[in-house]
Amino acid sequence: MAMKVYGDGMSACVARVLLCLHEKETEFELVPVDLFACHHKLPSFLSMNPFGQVPVLQDDDLTLFESRAITAYIADKHKDKGTDLTRHADAKETAIVKLWSEVESHHFNPAVSAVIHQLIVVPLQGEKSPDAAIVEENLEKLGKVLDVYEERLGKTKYLAGDSYTLADLHHVPYIYYFMKTSHAGLVNDRPNVKAWWEDLCSRPAFLKVSPGLTIAPVTN
Amino acid sequence: MAGIKVFGHPASTATRRVLIALQEKDVDFELVHVELKDGEHKKQPFLSRNPFGKVPAFEDGDFKLFESRAITQYIAHEYADKGNQLLSPGSKNMAILAMGMEIEAHEFDSVASKLGWEQIFKNFFGLTTDQAVVKEEEEARLGESKCLACDHFTLVDLHHIPVIQYLLGTPTKKLFEERPHVSAWVADITSRPSSQKILL
């Protein structure tokens, strides 16, 4: 039976999982969860993920949440097909992939998601305007992270080395949304980061997922 | 053999996470002190070990890493045959571990660290609903098994220890005390020899 992903393709965290499934050439079923109607906060969903967040993965009797745990599971289960997303054959290479995945998780994601939250999510909720101070503070943090990336990507083609891995994949949905804002210069003004992004968003797996990334930011 | 070196500070929760893992694996190491109050972590040569300027950084011979949870996972795999088992075999068990580690990293740590920080250096900051959800979730899981991810101690439990140790010295400890399974788990993980050894 194919894996089931509960969520909506416009969610960056869901897209992270869909990208992984496509890179691993794995069949799946996307079970829609109506986020605007808050179906992810209903008891039926909370019984799968008590934190009330998409995505959730079901694979036979296994139910998983947290997108980066899901991608790790998919990459491990299907390690012998599709793209090698974890460099599983070498323990030290695996550790480097984990290192840059942690960097995405703890340094990149908090800054970029705060900007996206203000410029995309807050306007959708309709009650208030984006908080310019939060945007500015996080753009500054994001710039510093991208400075580190710029130097790293001057030495290696991808973050964890010379092949595409989960460390790169986990960035893709939020960068895609970020590039739709008026702050895309943070990426475009850094030649190595820009070249890396252009590579990531030309991958066939991304071209299958990007049509689902439909929400658009307020430009300011 | 050049051996294992941890570049960090003994009071840093992220450094402690790595030290506990090394103690659990009964592996020799050297803690190289990074003086945080002098900003040593924001200058060279430390920045060449971790360009994000955070402790800890790590070396095993020529092999270098940073990010505490990447380091603990490397230690758990590389020294799988030594000391205590910190992982759980099989793809599905490892998935549950991965999920537990993500929950600690994204749901628990950011809130709990802030609570610890605020309360140790400022006044009591108050409880948040996010923290309550984490605690309820942990209470439910710990009603079913002795440890968070499975029936034995793993990295999922280990990653929580340093921040919990600080929170036990603050009013937030009542969040643990009012939930019997969480309370028993906290007592258990903080009394492990490895957890005791890394305390100042």
Side-chain angles (χ1 to χ4, degrees), chain A residues 99-149:
Chain A
L99 184 161
W100 287 96
S101 302
E102 288 291 302
V103 167
E104 181 275 327
S105 200
H106 295 288
H107 298 281
F108 178 83
N109 186 64
V112 76
S113 62
V115 172
I116 299 294
H117 184 82
Q118 292 302 318
L119 297 182
I120 298 186
V121 179
V122 161
L124 281 175
Q125 289 169 341
E127 285 168 7
K128 18 178 210 178
S129 304
D131 185 324
I134 293 179
V135 172
E136 192 173 318
E137 180 192 335
N138 284 285
L139 285 174
E140 196 181 324
K141 287 182 184 167
L142 186 57
K144 289 181 180 157
V145 172
L146 292 178
D147 285 340
V148 175
Y149 285 19

Side-chain angles (χ1 to χ4, degrees), chain A residues 5-24:
Chain A
V5 179
Y6 291 80
D8 187 306
M10 68 170 158
S11 148
C13 298
V14 172
R16 205 173 268 138
V17 170
L18 302 183
L19 276 174
C20 183
L21 287 161
H22 285 298
E23 288 285 348
K24 296 312 259 173

